[in-house]
């Protein structure tokens, strides 16, 4: 009995969505993905196509695709048909309905979201059915993309993150004899301008399905418009298609100059930097080669956002500021990143100041902890202290406004709790025979931790690296549990509860 038949029997016997054996589904799908990656590495293109067909027709993979689109952040966002898969029966029916024969993609629902610059970014939302089809084919395409990807590409890839890109930049720029000139490059509307003809010719997947997604069109204000180029932002498979379009850029940069004139390249999604020993080398050799590479794919460099910088003048990349003084490279959270989290924290405090304190603290902690964990791998102590000071000043102003007739001592007794050498803003609530303490996290207490960069050649679909990625996942999960438990709700017995408002 084949894996697909086994999966069909498994899904058929399942009484409900919750009864599906997810570990088995994940294991069998991964097994096919590993075989696809192996065939790609051996150059057996016919074998790749056969294995991709098996995976996209597997009930295991279909179940995982439906699970993904019904458990991510967009699960409550419908497409043009207004359909959402909320119940287990809806999802079981979706698994049985994912078929390639006769598939016709629906137009995308166009909306706009604000950018940091104040402009609006178009976001195109497929229907749930189209999202599930994209998730299904992404399972078959991801092993190909990972096997052929650039070594120093870090965006939207399994097992890689922004911290890896920052660590790679540190490695390229921190040595005494490192390159001193940096080209900060940005591609103009990368997702919106990729050539359809190039993708149809070079993306190794079923062409009829790919054409459906690229030519689906979009609906805005009740009018349907055609899509002539680009891959829509908002699609499940769009980041993978964009990555595959830009793969090969690193090799183009490295071969544009002789090996003795060593250059470094690293990319996160459509943002990338190139380092070189001289400005002339970037202008005369590297930039023309990059522009020619992108032109074949229908893309251009944004002259407004791209610039060449001397390392001692500093540059910004992925929310971090890089600057070298002497032989020391300092990476700190950028001024814009600090200002953004301060503004967001202030907005949360103003929005929830009349709500339950537990809700305010929960929203605030979510923002502060996420921001601090992103920036904790660089020199962040001053930035962390600045954020803490701002947050606690705003919280103090809030409680003074909420309790105008209370003394300073009363406010401290009811809203502040000693935590080692620091004080935390907190509230206590009685829950049956216990008192629970809800406290605002101090980002400075999260601490600085050096990030160990992922190996450039590591492929999550190569069995050789299976233990390597498993170790990195376990280590990350253990660290997260440790940090969450340190800031979880503190419970006291009623006898030992601190005196104060409950």
């Amino acid at each position: 009995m084949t894996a697909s038949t086994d999966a069909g029997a498994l899904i058929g016997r399942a009484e409900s969505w919750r009864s599906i054996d997810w570990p088995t589904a994940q294991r069998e799908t991964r097994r096919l993905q590993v075989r696809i990656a192996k065939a790609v590495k051996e150059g057996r293109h016919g074998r790749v196509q056969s294995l991709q067909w098996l995976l996209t027709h597997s009930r295991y993979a279909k179940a995982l695709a439906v699970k993904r689109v019904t458990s991510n952040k967009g699960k409550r966002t419908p497409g043009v048909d207004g359909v959402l898969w909320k119940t287990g029966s809806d999802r079981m029916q979706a698994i049985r309905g994912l078929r390639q024969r006769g598939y016709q993609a629906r137009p995308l629902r166009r909306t706009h979201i604000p950018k940091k610059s104040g402009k609006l970014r178009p976001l195109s939302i497929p229907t749930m059915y189209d999202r599930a089809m994209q998730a299904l084919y992404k399972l078959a395409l991801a092993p190909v993309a990972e096997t052929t990807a650039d070594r120093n590409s870090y965006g939207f890839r399994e097992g890689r993150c922004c911290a890896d890109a920052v660590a790679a930049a540190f490695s390229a720029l921190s040595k005494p004899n490192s390159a001193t000139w940096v080209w900060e490059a940005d591609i103009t509307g990368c997702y919106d301008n990729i050539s359809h003809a190039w993708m149809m010719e070079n993306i190794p997947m079923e062409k009829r399905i790919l054409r459906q997604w690229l030519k689906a069109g979009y609906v805005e204000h009740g009018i349907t418009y055609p899509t002539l180029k680009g891959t829509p932002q908002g699609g499940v498979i769009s980041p993978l298609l964009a990555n595959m379009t830009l793969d090969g850029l690193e090799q183009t940069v490295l071969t544009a100059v002789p090996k003795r004139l060593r250059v470094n390249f690293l990319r996160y999604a459509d943002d990338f930097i190139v380092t070189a020993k001289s400005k002339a080398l970037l202008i005369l050799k590297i930039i023309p080669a990059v522009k020619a590479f992108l032109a074949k794919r229908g893309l251009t460099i944004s002259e407004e956002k791209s610039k060449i910088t001397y390392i001692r003048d500093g540059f910004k990349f992925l929310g971090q500021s890089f600057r070298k003084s002497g032989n020391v490279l300092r990476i700190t959270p950028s001024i814009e990143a600090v200002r953004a989290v301060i503004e967001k924290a202030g907005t949360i405090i103003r929005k929830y100041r009349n709500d339950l304190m537990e809700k305010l603290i929960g929203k605030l902690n979510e923002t502060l902890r996420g921001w601090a964990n992103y920036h904790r791998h660089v020199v962040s102590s001053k930035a962390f202290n600045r954020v803490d000071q701002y947050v606690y000043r705003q919280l103090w102003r809030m409680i003074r406004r909420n309790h105008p007739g209370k003394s300073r001592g009363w406010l401290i007794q009811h809203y502040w709790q000693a935590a080692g050498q620091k004080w935390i803003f907190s509230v206590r609530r009685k829950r049956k025979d216990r008192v629970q303490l809800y406290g605002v996290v101090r980002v400075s207490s999260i601490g600085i931790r050096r990030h160990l960069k992922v190996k450039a050649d590591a492929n999550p679909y190569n069995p050789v690296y299976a233990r390597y990625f498993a170790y990195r996942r376990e280590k990350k999960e253990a660290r997260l549990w440790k940090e969450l438990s340190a800031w979880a709700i503190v419970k006291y017995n009623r006898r030992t509860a601190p005196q104060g408002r409950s």
Side-chain angles (χ1 to χ4, degrees):
M1 186 177 287
T2 65
S4 181
T5 307
D6 284 338
L10 177 144
I11 301 297
R13 290 194 304 267
E15 295 178 2
S16 67
W17 172 259
R18 293 184 179 180
S19 65
I20 296 176
D21 186 355
W22 294 112
T24 301
Q26 183 68 50
R27 184 172 59 252
E28 292 300 321
T29 302
R30 175 65 69 159
R31 185 175 61 83
L32 278 174
Q33 290 177 314
V34 168
R35 293 173 65 189
I36 292 172
K38 182 181 178 182
V40 172
K41 191 173 182 180
E42 294 173 351
R44 302 171 63 186
H45 304 298
R47 182 67 171 166
V48 171
Q49 291 179 355
S50 299
L51 291 170
Q52 285 182 320
W53 189 94
L54 281 176
L55 193 147
T56 54
H57 287 74
S58 164
R59 285 286 188 93
Y60 282 132
K62 291 179 180 180
L64 290 174
V66 172
K67 182 180 181 182
R68 169 167 182 172
V69 300
T70 55
S71 59
N72 59 15
K73 291 183 178 180
K75 63 183 179 181
R76 296 186 181 90
T77 306
V80 292
D81 58 359
V83 174
L84 293 175
W85 296 336
K86 296 181 179 180
T87 66
S89 60
D90 291 340
R91 297 168 187 177
M92 293 299 294
Q93 185 176 355
I95 293 173
R96 291 187 285 268
L98 284 182
R99 295 189 182 94
Q100 290 74 19
R101 182 177 297 177
Y103 171 67
Q104 182 73 36
R106 298 287 299 274
L108 309 164
R109 182 167 68 86
R110 175 64 64 89
T111 184
H112 294 84
I113 57 175
K115 299 169 65 175
K116 291 182 181 179
S117 61
K119 299 179 181 179
L120 294 177
R121 183 193 305 277
L123 186 67
S124 301
I125 304 170
T127 64
M128 291 293 288
Y129 185 82
D130 291 331
R131 272 178 264 175
M133 286 292 287
Q134 291 186 19
L136 176 61
Y137 274 87
K138 183 178 180 181
L139 290 172
L141 193 57
V144 181
E146 283 293 334
T147 307
T148 59
D150 288 344
R151 297 174 75 250
N152 285 292
S153 165
Y154 299 96
F156 303 107
R157 292 182 61 190
E158 185 176 338
R160 302 188 180 215
C161 61
C162 289
D164 291 310
V166 173
F170 177 83
S171 178
L173 296 166
S174 61
K175 301 177 182 64
N177 62 342
S178 294
T180 53
W181 290 92
V182 181
W183 180 36
E184 311 165 59
D186 184 87
I187 300 173
T188 303
C190 179
Y191 284 81
D192 299 327
N193 294 302
I194 301 175
S195 167
H196 284 182
W198 189 94
M199 282 193 285
M200 289 298 299
E201 185 177 346
N202 294 276
I203 300 297
M205 63 169 289
E206 191 172 337
K207 303 304 180 183
R208 192 185 71 81
I209 301 296
L210 178 59
R211 186 181 293 107
Q212 288 290 318
W213 297 334
L214 298 180
K215 301 297 184 181
Y218 64 92
V219 176
E220 188 172 14
H221 304 305
I223 303 174
T224 302
Y225 298 90
T227 48
L228 304 177
K229 57 183 179 179
T231 177
Q233 295 189 55
V236 174
I237 204 171
S238 295
L240 181 63
L241 295 177
N243 261 344
M244 296 188 75
T245 301
L246 297 177
D247 283 335
L249 185 55
E250 179 175 11
Q251 190 61 30
T252 298
V253 168
L254 297 180
T255 56
V257 298
K259 286 186 178 181
R260 59 184 177 82
L261 301 175
R262 182 172 176 79
V263 297
N264 290 285
F265 170 93
L266 63 97
R267 174 171 66 87
Y268 189 93
D270 59 335
D271 293 329
F272 61 92
I273 62 172
V274 183
T275 70
K277 292 286 187 179
S278 69
K279 186 176 182 179
L281 191 63
L282 290 169
I283 295 175
L284 298 178
K285 296 289 185 179
I286 294 173
I287 294 179
V290 169
K291 287 184 176 179
F293 175 92
L294 295 176
K296 295 177 182 178
R297 292 152 175 80
L299 301 173
T300 58
I301 290 292
S302 171
E303 302 296 340
E304 177 187 351
K305 297 181 181 179
S306 303
K307 58 182 178 179
I308 299 175
T309 309
Y310 188 54
I311 189 61
R312 301 197 190 283
D313 296 330
F315 69 96
K316 295 178 179 64
F317 183 61
L318 297 179
Q320 316 290 5
S321 177
F322 296 74
R323 187 184 300 273
K324 201 167 187 179
S325 300
N327 290 328
V328 178
L329 176 69
R330 288 177 59 84
I331 308 177
T332 59
S334 66
I335 295 174
E336 293 80 5
V338 175
R339 186 180 297 124
V341 74
I342 283 176
E343 290 176 356
K344 188 171 182 180
T347 300
I348 291 172
I349 292 172
R350 290 189 293 273
K351 182 178 179 181
Y352 293 98
R353 65 188 178 191
N354 296 322
D355 215 320
L356 291 174
M357 282 295 171
E358 300 95 307
K359 188 172 183 179
L360 165 63
I361 292 172
K363 294 289 184 181
L364 204 53
N365 282 351
E366 182 180 341
T367 297
L368 295 177
R369 189 182 289 112
W371 184 86
N373 282 328
Y374 180 85
H375 291 283
R376 70 179 306 183
H377 307 295
V378 298
V379 184
S380 306
S381 297
K382 288 185 178 179
F384 284 5
N385 287 330
R386 180 184 171 189
V387 172
D388 278 338
Q389 290 171 10
Y390 172 83
V391 169
Y392 278 76
R393 283 199 303 268
Q394 294 302 310
L395 290 171
W396 180 257
R397 289 181 60 187
M398 179 192 71
I399 61 172
R400 287 292 296 268
R401 187 182 295 111
N402 290 351
H403 305 283
K406 299 297 183 180
S407 67
R408 178 184 179 90
W410 187 94
L411 295 175
I412 292 175
Q413 181 183 8
H414 285 72
Y415 285 102
W416 258 263
Q417 172 74 26
Q421 300 292 324
K422 302 288 185 179
W423 289 78
I424 61 171
F425 180 88
S426 59
V427 293
R428 289 180 283 270
R429 292 289 184 264
K430 283 185 179 179
R431 296 291 185 268
K432 297 182 179 179
D433 61 338
R434 294 179 180 274
V435 176
Q436 294 179 342
L437 178 70
Y438 299 80
V440 174
V441 65
R442 276 187 176 273
V443 295
S444 56
S445 68
I446 290 177
I448 310 300
R449 182 187 295 273
R450 180 74 178 270
H451 178 77
L452 184 62
K453 189 182 83 68
V454 68
K455 293 179 180 179
D457 293 319
N459 182 348
Y461 300 101
N462 187 339
V464 173
Y465 292 102
R467 294 187 66 181
Y468 172 74
F469 280 103
Y471 170 77
R472 287 178 67 89
R473 284 193 300 270
E474 291 170 3
K475 190 174 181 180
K476 181 179 179 179
E477 289 170 3
R479 185 176 71 249
L480 289 175
W481 275 112
K482 183 178 180 180
E483 292 168 358
L484 287 173
S485 62
W487 281 101
I489 298 171
V490 181
K491 296 182 179 180
Y492 298 91
N493 290 326
R494 180 176 290 175
R495 284 181 246 171
T496 60
Q499 298 299 312
R501 191 183 66 176
S502 58

